[in-house]
Coordinates of all heavy atoms in Angstrom, one line a residue:
S911 N 64.8 -96.9 97.5 CA 65.4 -98.0 96.6 C 64.5 -98.1 95.4 O 63.4 -97.7 95.3 CB 65.3 -99.3 97.4 OG 64.0 -99.6 97.8
I912 N 65.2 -98.7 94.4 CA 64.5 -99.0 93.1 C 63.9 -100.4 93.1 O 64.5 -101.3 93.5 CB 65.5 -98.9 91.9 CG1 66.2 -97.5 91.9 CG2 64.9 -99.2 90.6 CD1 67.3 -97.3 90.9
N913 N 62.7 -100.5 92.7 CA 62.0 -101.8 92.7 C 62.5 -102.6 91.5 O 63.2 -102.1 90.6 CB 60.5 -101.6 92.7 CG 60.0 -100.9 91.4 OD1 60.4 -101.1 90.3 ND2 59.0 -99.9 91.7
W914 N 62.1 -103.8 91.5 CA 62.6 -104.8 90.5 C 62.1 -104.4 89.1 O 62.6 -104.9 88.1 CB 62.1 -106.2 90.8 CG 60.6 -106.3 90.8 CD1 59.7 -106.1 91.9 CD2 59.8 -106.7 89.7 NE1 58.4 -106.4 91.5 CE2 58.4 -106.8 90.2 CE3 60.0 -107.1 88.4 CZ2 57.4 -107.1 89.3 CZ3 59.0 -107.5 87.6 CH2 57.7 -107.5 88.1
R915 N 61.0 -103.6 88.9 CA 60.5 -103.2 87.6 C 61.4 -102.2 86.9 O 61.4 -102.1 85.7 CB 59.1 -102.7 87.7 CG 58.1 -103.7 88.2 CD 56.7 -103.1 88.1 NE 55.7 -104.0 88.6 CZ 55.2 -104.0 89.9 NH1 55.8 -103.2 90.8 NH2 54.3 -104.9 90.2
E916 N 62.2 -101.5 87.7 CA 63.0 -100.4 87.1 C 63.9 -100.9 86.0 O 64.0 -100.2 84.9 CB 63.8 -99.7 88.2 CG 64.6 -98.5 87.7 CD 63.7 -97.4 87.1 OE1 62.5 -97.3 87.5 OE2 64.3 -96.6 86.3
P917 N 64.7 -102.0 86.1 CA 65.5 -102.4 85.0 C 64.7 -102.7 83.7 O 65.1 -102.4 82.6 CB 66.2 -103.7 85.5 CG 66.2 -103.5 87.0 CD 64.9 -102.8 87.3
L918 N 63.5 -103.3 83.9 CA 62.6 -103.5 82.7 C 62.2 -102.2 82.1 O 62.1 -102.1 80.8 CB 61.4 -104.4 83.1 CG 61.8 -105.8 83.6 CD1 60.5 -106.5 84.0 CD2 62.5 -106.6 82.5
H919 N 61.8 -101.3 82.9 CA 61.4 -99.9 82.4 C 62.6 -99.3 81.6 O 62.4 -98.7 80.6 CB 61.0 -99.0 83.5 CG 59.7 -99.5 84.2 ND1 59.3 -99.0 85.4 CD2 58.8 -100.4 83.8 CE1 58.1 -99.6 85.7 NE2 57.8 -100.4 84.7
F920 N 63.8 -99.4 82.2 CA 65.0 -98.9 81.6 C 65.2 -99.5 80.2 O 65.4 -98.7 79.2 CB 66.2 -99.1 82.5 CG 67.5 -98.6 81.9 CD1 68.0 -97.4 82.2 CD2 68.3 -99.4 81.1 CE1 69.2 -96.9 81.7 CE2 69.5 -99.0 80.6 CZ 70.0 -97.8 80.9
I921 N 65.2 -100.8 80.1 CA 65.4 -101.5 78.8 C 64.3 -101.1 77.8 O 64.6 -100.9 76.7 CB 65.5 -103.0 79.1 CG1 66.7 -103.3 79.9 CG2 65.6 -103.7 77.8 CD1 66.7 -104.7 80.5
R922 N 63.1 -101.1 78.3 CA 62.0 -100.8 77.4 C 62.1 -99.3 76.9 O 61.9 -99.1 75.7 CB 60.6 -100.9 78.1 CG 59.4 -100.5 77.3 CD 58.1 -100.7 78.1 NE 57.0 -100.2 77.4 CZ 56.5 -99.0 77.3 NH1 57.1 -98.0 78.0 NH2 55.4 -98.7 76.6
Y923 N 62.5 -98.4 77.7 CA 62.6 -97.0 77.3 C 63.7 -96.9 76.2 O 63.5 -96.2 75.2 CB 63.0 -96.2 78.5 CG 63.4 -94.8 78.2 CD1 62.5 -93.8 77.9 CD2 64.8 -94.4 78.1 CE1 62.9 -92.5 77.6 CE2 65.2 -93.2 77.8 CZ 64.2 -92.2 77.6 OH 64.6 -90.9 77.3
H924 N 64.8 -97.6 76.4 CA 65.9 -97.4 75.4 C 65.6 -98.2 74.2 O 66.1 -97.8 73.1 CB 67.2 -97.8 76.1 CG 67.8 -96.8 77.0 ND1 68.4 -95.7 76.6 CD2 67.7 -96.7 78.4 CE1 68.7 -94.9 77.6 NE2 68.3 -95.5 78.7
Y925 N 64.9 -99.3 74.3 CA 64.5 -100.0 73.1 C 63.6 -99.2 72.2 O 63.8 -99.0 71.0 CB 63.8 -101.3 73.4 CG 63.1 -101.9 72.2 CD1 63.8 -102.6 71.2 CD2 61.7 -101.8 72.1 CE1 63.2 -103.1 70.1 CE2 61.1 -102.3 70.9 CZ 61.8 -103.0 70.0 OH 61.2 -103.5 68.9
L926 N 62.6 -98.5 72.8 CA 61.7 -97.7 72.1 C 62.4 -96.5 71.5 O 62.1 -96.0 70.4 CB 60.6 -97.2 73.0 CG 59.6 -98.3 73.4 CD1 58.6 -97.7 74.4 CD2 58.9 -98.9 72.2
K927 N 63.4 -95.9 72.2 CA 64.2 -94.8 71.7 C 64.9 -95.2 70.4 O 64.9 -94.5 69.4 CB 65.2 -94.3 72.7 CG 66.0 -93.1 72.3 CD 66.9 -92.6 73.4 CE 68.0 -93.6 73.7 NZ 69.0 -93.0 74.6
L928 N 65.6 -96.4 70.5 CA 66.3 -96.9 69.3 C 65.3 -97.3 68.2 O 65.6 -97.0 67.0 CB 67.1 -98.2 69.7 CG 68.3 -98.0 70.6 CD1 68.8 -99.3 71.1 CD2 69.4 -97.2 69.9
F929 N 64.2 -97.9 68.5 CA 63.2 -98.3 67.5 C 62.7 -97.0 66.8 O 62.5 -97.1 65.5 CB 62.0 -99.0 68.2 CG 61.0 -99.5 67.2 CD1 61.2 -100.7 66.5 CD2 59.9 -98.8 66.9 CE1 60.3 -101.2 65.6 CE2 58.9 -99.3 66.0 CZ 59.1 -100.5 65.4
K930 N 62.3 -96.0 67.5 CA 61.8 -94.8 66.8 C 62.8 -94.1 65.9 O 62.5 -93.5 64.9 CB 61.4 -93.8 67.9 CG 60.1 -94.2 68.7 CD 59.9 -93.2 69.8 CE 58.7 -93.7 70.7 NZ 58.5 -92.8 71.9
M931 N 64.1 -94.3 66.3 CA 65.2 -93.8 65.5 C 65.3 -94.6 64.2 O 65.6 -94.1 63.1 CB 66.5 -93.8 66.3 CG 67.6 -93.1 65.6 SD 69.2 -93.3 66.4 CE 68.8 -92.8 68.1
M932 N 65.2 -95.9 64.3 CA 65.5 -96.8 63.2 C 64.4 -97.0 62.2 O 64.6 -97.2 61.0 CB 65.9 -98.2 63.8 CG 66.3 -99.2 62.8 SD 64.9 -100.3 62.5 CE 64.7 -101.2 64.0
I933 N 63.1 -97.0 62.7 CA 62.0 -97.6 61.9 C 61.8 -96.8 60.6 O 61.6 -97.4 59.5 CB 60.7 -97.7 62.7 CG1 59.6 -98.4 62.0 CG2 60.3 -96.3 63.2 CD1 60.0 -99.8 61.6
V934 N 61.8 -95.5 60.7 CA 61.6 -94.7 59.5 C 62.6 -94.9 58.4 O 62.4 -95.1 57.2 CB 61.5 -93.2 59.8 CG1 61.4 -92.3 58.5 CG2 60.4 -92.9 60.8
G935 N 63.9 -95.0 58.8 CA 65.0 -95.2 57.9 C 64.9 -96.6 57.3 O 65.2 -96.8 56.1
F936 N 64.5 -97.6 58.1 CA 64.4 -99.0 57.7 C 63.3 -99.1 56.6 O 63.5 -99.8 55.6 CB 64.1 -99.9 58.8 CG 64.0 -101.4 58.5 CD1 65.1 -102.1 57.9 CD2 62.8 -102.0 58.6 CE1 64.9 -103.4 57.6 CE2 62.6 -103.3 58.3 CZ 63.7 -104.0 57.7
V937 N 62.2 -98.5 56.9 CA 61.0 -98.6 55.9 C 61.4 -97.9 54.6 O 61.2 -98.5 53.5 CB 59.8 -97.9 56.5 CG1 58.7 -97.8 55.4 CG2 59.3 -98.7 57.7
A938 N 62.0 -96.7 54.7 CA 62.4 -96.0 53.5 C 63.5 -96.8 52.7 O 63.4 -96.9 51.5 CB 63.0 -94.6 53.8
F939 N 64.4 -97.4 53.4 CA 65.5 -98.2 52.7 C 64.9 -99.4 52.1 O 65.3 -99.7 50.9 CB 66.6 -98.6 53.7 CG 67.7 -99.4 53.1 CD1 68.7 -98.8 52.5 CD2 67.6 -100.8 53.1 CE1 69.8 -99.5 51.9 CE2 68.6 -101.5 52.5 CZ 69.7 -100.9 51.9
T940 N 64.1 -100.1 52.7 CA 63.5 -101.4 52.1 C 62.8 -101.1 50.8 O 62.8 -101.8 49.8 CB 62.6 -102.1 53.1 OG1 61.6 -101.2 53.6 CG2 63.4 -102.7 54.2
M941 N 62.0 -100.0 50.8 CA 61.3 -99.6 49.6 C 62.2 -99.2 48.4 O 62.1 -99.6 47.3 CB 60.3 -98.4 49.9 CG 59.2 -98.9 50.8 SD 57.9 -97.6 50.9 CE 58.8 -96.3 51.8
L942 N 63.3 -98.4 48.8 CA 64.3 -98.1 47.8 C 65.0 -99.3 47.3 O 65.3 -99.5 46.1 CB 65.3 -97.0 48.4 CG 66.5 -96.7 47.5 CD1 66.0 -95.9 46.3 CD2 67.5 -95.9 48.3
D943 N 65.4 -100.2 48.3 CA 66.2 -101.4 47.9 C 65.4 -102.2 46.9 O 66.0 -102.9 46.1 CB 66.5 -102.1 49.2 CG 67.4 -103.3 49.0 OD1 68.5 -103.1 48.5 OD2 67.0 -104.4 49.3
L944 N 64.1 -102.3 47.1 CA 63.3 -103.2 46.2 C 63.3 -102.7 44.8 O 63.2 -103.5 43.9 CB 61.8 -103.2 46.7 CG 60.9 -104.2 46.1 CD1 61.4 -105.6 46.3 CD2 59.5 -104.0 46.6
I945 N 63.5 -101.4 44.5 CA 63.4 -100.9 43.1 C 64.7 -100.5 42.6 O 64.8 -99.9 41.5 CB 62.4 -99.7 43.1 CG1 63.0 -98.6 44.0 CG2 61.0 -100.1 43.5 CD1 62.2 -97.3 43.9
T946 N 65.8 -100.9 43.3 CA 67.2 -100.6 42.8 C 67.9 -101.9 42.6 O 67.6 -102.9 43.2 CB 67.9 -99.7 43.7 OG1 67.9 -100.2 45.1 CG2 67.4 -98.3 43.7

């Protein structure tokens, strides 16, 4: 059986996956946005 921590691990894993995908683009966009 899966313990109660598994859903939290699942959510954390997918949040970090999305964050790693998003953060570089967000930083680059905000710098470009500021000067355009």
Side-chain angles (χ1 to χ4, degrees):
S911 60
I912 300 176
N913 61 43
W914 63 271
R915 294 186 182 90
E916 183 61 25
L918 297 179
H919 292 164
F920 177 94
I921 295 168
R922 177 180 178 273
Y923 170 80
H924 285 282
Y925 167 77
L926 291 176
K927 183 177 72 172
L928 292 170
F929 183 84
K930 292 174 184 177
M931 186 189 308
M932 179 265 292
I933 187 60
V934 175
F936 179 65
V937 170
F939 178 86
T940 53
M941 292 190 294
L942 173 69
D943 186 60
L944 187 63
I945 61 175
T946 52

